[in-house]
Amino acid sequence: MNKPLRHAGAVMLCAAWLAVSVAASAAGIKTDLKIAFVPKQINNPYEVIADDGGMAAIKEFKGQGKVVGPSDAGASSQVSYINTLTTQRQDAIVIAANDANALVPYLKKAMSQGIKVVTFDSDTAPEGRQLFVNQANAESIGRGQIQLVSKLMGGEGEFAILSATPNATNQNTWIKWMQEELKKPEYSKMKLVKIAYGNDDDQKSFVETQGLLQAYPNLKAIVAPTSVGIAAAARYISSSSSKGKVAVTGLGTPNQMRAFVKNGTVKAFQLWDPGQLGYLAAYAAANLASGAISGKEGESFDAGKLGKRTIGAQGEIILGPPTTFDASNIDSFNF
Ligand code: RAM
């Protein structure tokens, strides 16, 4: 006589548990997905914020997340991580690629074994991944950097770019658009004298900055479209006689740049929220690995706190426009 009652109780309990677990995980996403993040390099503060955003998302949909990667931003250094993750049969690999082509054969092998591959921050050639989660439209980042540096150097004089590694897909794409923007007549008095590479290594970026100042005594500005490069350039210039004479701008995190904005070395720079970038990439990977989307243009998916997102041409998903930080707003940002 007790039996049916106990059974009914069990059914009710089970239904309640199911309701809780469905409510707790995002619509259409399977639980327990194994998702591995591979940043450009693990010790870059920007990449750490992005990976943390990814791990926060994975916690929300009850997956198993981890971050593995090299300590330098070289493409060959990422290969062994991709191979290990493939052997481990992760459900998805989310990677900031250090080269557009070098990683493609390894990522293709992962995909051939059913692992979903999402690039974020820095893309591979489209055949190396199913989706690319891009921080912002690459053309507007590149053109925006020139518009900003032009303002800071009064529209004339010599300037240099301090980039990341020579193979970085994201920086190279932005630089291409910077050069395109520079062709406009309003920049005819500005001259790009050199593109230097600090390899997203703090010390190398510091030394490259010193080299630029020595080689080009008339330099009016350095644009570093890398959070490592801009911080190193600002640090060098803030304690050199070039402070106040050579403008430093580019892409950086507010927390790394705050001191240089406060001491007047840097007037303005740009970025998006790297945490949101990682968060969006994790949701994209989870939706792909759950079969909720296949990667086709026009498909939409639920990205947790970021709401519904839609896949654009060539599997690209865009986070949103960058923010310009200066003394007036920098204290409103904490990342
Ligand atoms: C560095 C990396 C990263 C880039 C940022 C702006 O941290 O090169 O890929 O997106 O700068």
Side-chain angles (χ1 to χ4, degrees), residues 30-43:
K30 293 181 182 163
T31 49
D32 269 338
L33 289 174
K34 289 193 281 226
I35 303 182
F37 270 58
V38 184
K40 274 184 167 179
Q41 57 190 143
I42 41 166
N43 48 353

Side-chain angles (χ1 to χ4, degrees), residues 40 44 46-47 121 135 164 170-171 174 200 225-228 251 271-272:
K40 274 184 167 179
N44 171 347
Y46 169 96
E47 303 279 334
D121 182 45
Q135 34 271 51
N170 52 345
Q171 273 89 10
W174 300 332
D200 269 351
T226 137
S227 60
V228 179
L251 302 171
L271 201 71
W272 42 89

Side-chain angles (χ1 to χ4, degrees), residues 78-188:
Q78 286 181 315
V79 170
S80 63
Y81 293 95
I82 297 170
N83 289 343
T84 305
L85 295 170
T86 305
T87 312
Q88 290 171 348
R89 301 208 160 267
Q90 296 286 313
D91 292 300
I93 295 174
V94 180
I95 182 165
N98 282 328
D99 189 291
N101 302 307
L103 302 173
V104 169
Y106 309 95
L107 294 172
K108 270 187 167 171
K109 190 171 163 221
M111 289 189 284
S112 75
Q113 301 193 12
I115 298 172
K116 303 300 178 192
V117 175
V118 173
T119 51
F120 79 128
D121 182 45
S122 186
D123 200 10
T124 58
E127 62 268 24
R129 46 68 174 172
Q130 281 133 326
L131 292 174
F132 169 41
V133 180
N134 198 354
Q135 34 271 51
N137 173 277
E139 177 174 351
S140 61
I141 296 175
R143 292 193 186 276
Q145 292 277 284
I146 291 298
Q147 288 152 13
L148 182 56
V149 72
S150 162
K151 229 194 268 172
L152 297 172
M153 57 192 278
E156 58 178 86
E158 297 182 351
F159 76 103
I161 293 175
L162 174 63
S163 189
T165 62
N167 292 348
T169 326
N170 52 345
Q171 273 89 10
N172 285 349
T173 311
W174 300 332
I175 291 170
K176 197 191 86 199
W177 285 115
M178 286 162 85
Q179 287 169 318
E180 211 44 53
E181 177 71 10
L182 265 180
K183 289 180 187 160
K184 290 186 180 167
E186 61 255 48
Y187 308 112
S188 61

Side-chain angles (χ1 to χ4, degrees), residues 1-333:
M1 209 190 133
N2 273 342
K3 251 187 178 171
L5 263 183
R6 273 214 306 270
H7 179 69
V11 168
M12 273 166 66
L13 264 178
C14 193
W17 178 84
L18 260 180
V20 168
S21 85
V22 168
S25 74
I29 297 181
K30 293 181 182 163
T31 49
D32 269 338
L33 289 174
K34 289 193 281 226
I35 303 182
F37 270 58
V38 184
K40 274 184 167 179
Q41 57 190 143
I42 41 166
N43 48 353
N44 171 347
Y46 169 96
E47 303 279 334
V48 172
I49 306 169
D51 297 336
D52 286 352
M55 295 306 114
I58 294 170
K59 215 170 160 190
E60 282 177 8
F61 54 73
K62 304 201 175 339
Q64 300 175 37
K66 67 174 171 183
V67 183
V68 293
S71 54
D72 67 285
S76 55
S77 324
Q78 286 181 315
V79 170
S80 63
Y81 293 95
I82 297 170
N83 289 343
T84 305
L85 295 170
T86 305
T87 312
Q88 290 171 348
R89 301 208 160 267
Q90 296 286 313
D91 292 300
I93 295 174
V94 180
I95 182 165
N98 282 328
D99 189 291
N101 302 307
L103 302 173
V104 169
Y106 309 95
L107 294 172
K108 270 187 167 171
K109 190 171 163 221
M111 289 189 284
S112 75
Q113 301 193 12
I115 298 172
K116 303 300 178 192
V117 175
V118 173
T119 51
F120 79 128
D121 182 45
S122 186
D123 200 10
T124 58
E127 62 268 24
R129 46 68 174 172
Q130 281 133 326
L131 292 174
F132 169 41
V133 180
N134 198 354
Q135 34 271 51
N137 173 277
E139 177 174 351
S140 61
I141 296 175
R143 292 193 186 276
Q145 292 277 284
I146 291 298
Q147 288 152 13
L148 182 56
V149 72
S150 162
K151 229 194 268 172
L152 297 172
M153 57 192 278
E156 58 178 86
E158 297 182 351
F159 76 103
I161 293 175
L162 174 63
S163 189
T165 62
N167 292 348
T169 326
N170 52 345
Q171 273 89 10
N172 285 349
T173 311
W174 300 332
I175 291 170
K176 197 191 86 199
W177 285 115
M178 286 162 85
Q179 287 169 318
E180 211 44 53
E181 177 71 10
L182 265 180
K183 289 180 187 160
K184 290 186 180 167
E186 61 255 48
Y187 308 112
S188 61
K189 289 186 179 148
M190 280 168 58
K191 188 169 175 219
L192 172 61
V193 288
K194 169 103 180 161
I195 302 175
Y197 297 93
N199 291 353
D200 269 351
D201 174 273
D202 175 69
Q203 264 316 302
K204 175 144 171 59
S205 305
F206 191 83
V207 170
E208 289 292 327
T209 303
Q210 185 177 29
L212 286 172
L213 296 173
Q214 277 163 5
Y216 304 98
N218 297 323
L219 205 66
K220 295 270 290 292
I222 294 177
V223 195
T226 137
S227 60
V228 179
I230 191 177
R235 194 169 83 250
Y236 183 86
I237 288 185
S238 66
S239 59
S240 79
S241 56
S242 300
K243 186 177 168 202
K245 293 188 201 124
V246 180
V248 180
T249 190
L251 302 171
T253 70
N255 286 355
Q256 280 184 285
M257 299 308 293
R258 195 176 324 277
F260 306 116
V261 169
K262 303 261 173 185
N263 76 15
T265 308
V266 174
K267 297 273 178 266
F269 65 100
Q270 299 174 318
L271 201 71
W272 42 89
D273 182 337
Q276 287 187 357
L277 177 69
Y279 183 93
L280 180 55
Y283 267 95
N287 276 279
L288 203 53
S290 301
I293 51 174
S294 67
K296 277 198 217 84
E297 182 174 359
E299 286 179 334
S300 292
F301 64 94
D302 167 29
K305 288 173 201 146
L306 295 175
K308 205 172 123 185
R309 295 295 171 131
T310 303
I311 303 172
Q314 287 204 307
E316 187 180 12
I317 300 158
I318 291 185
L319 176 66
T323 301
T324 300
F325 307 100
D326 58 24
S328 74
N329 67 356
I330 193 160
D331 283 336
S332 320
F333 299 92

